[in-house]
Amino acid sequence: MIPHSKPFLDNIELEKIIEVYKSGNIAVGKEIEEFEKKVANYVGKKYAVSTSSGTTAIHLLLYSMDIKKGDEVILPASVCPGVMHAIEYTGATPVIADINENNFNISVEYAKKIITDNTKAIIAPHMFGLPSDIDELIKLNIPIIEDCAQSIGAMYNSKKVGSFGYASIFSFYATKMFTSIDGGMILTDDEKLAKLLKDLRYYGGKRDYKLRFNYKLQNINAAVGLVQFEKLKSFLDERKMLANKYFDIFSSIKWLEVLNQVNEKKISSNYRFIIKIDREKKDFFENLCRKHKIALGDTIFEDLSLFASQYFKESLPNTQTLINYTYSFPLYPNINESGLKEFFKELLL
Ligand SMILES: Cc1ncc(COP(=O)(O)O)c(C=O)c1O
């Protein structure tokens, strides 16, 4: 079986977990700050605030921006429900934008149409590792929150994604670019915002009383994150190598289109490999994957018209097209490549 995603952990993570476990500093400890500093330096933002997940990172950030009932936050149709929930927790209304014709990032043209006086932020995920149209988004003059849950290491105009927006958020869930098992982070250049985020993420040890959260990352998770972070460069290299291999094979097939393409301006983190299949070849392709025990992933989490129709105002033509004919093909470090060989042989017959 080739699962759709799989974390790559070895003994180094285990040894670090044991070290922190034995130190007793399992919840609070030096690894948290060390992890935050490393990620902030790598991405190119001044301040980092770690959290328990990507979802809590978004909620904490929106809350700190004073986003509340009556406000609107724009997000694309392609993200997981966690992002939408984070907006809902604040009482604000998520407003869903369509995605681009050939990738899963927010359509700037569509976003422009749905901006109102109540729009307080746009959440722009770099979906499947491909950078969004950041320059165009910034021109909209609404605070941009870069969602880098799938894209740490991706580059836009030779700069790391996550370094452009008002703030950026990250997820280190088990299946992300690297993992702290569960975890998240917010990066910003705004010192005041960073202080506020740090204050609000945990209720303990304070001298005043106000509403706060328990959203902090645990030290034992930060320890795993630190070890995994050191592997990011090799993870990125391996993902790129695999993506190039897949590209050579898949782009030789007439009834299949490789989406999420990179160019000089946009370098992907290759989080996922996205393909679009002609309608009449769908069954053949799905059956072939089944035969070779390859788990395909959905590109869009759910049919949004079923589960979040209250949050879009107009139809989402690109989303509706891509939802039906696109697949995420497994791509991650240490994938069982020999298991893929037979599949590719038969695909190319
Ligand atoms: C683009 C994107 N944003 C946010 C999240 C939420 O992150 P988490 O699962 O850590 O809460 C995810 C998780 O799947 C994601 O893919």
Side-chain angles (χ1 to χ4, degrees), residues 53-55 58 79-80 83 125 127 147 149-150 169 171-173 176 182-183:
S53 70
T55 303
I58 301 171
V79 286
C80 71
V83 180
M127 287 303 295
D147 180 338
Q150 308 183 352
I169 72 93
S171 164
F172 307 118
Y173 176 64
K176 292 296 190 275
D182 230 337

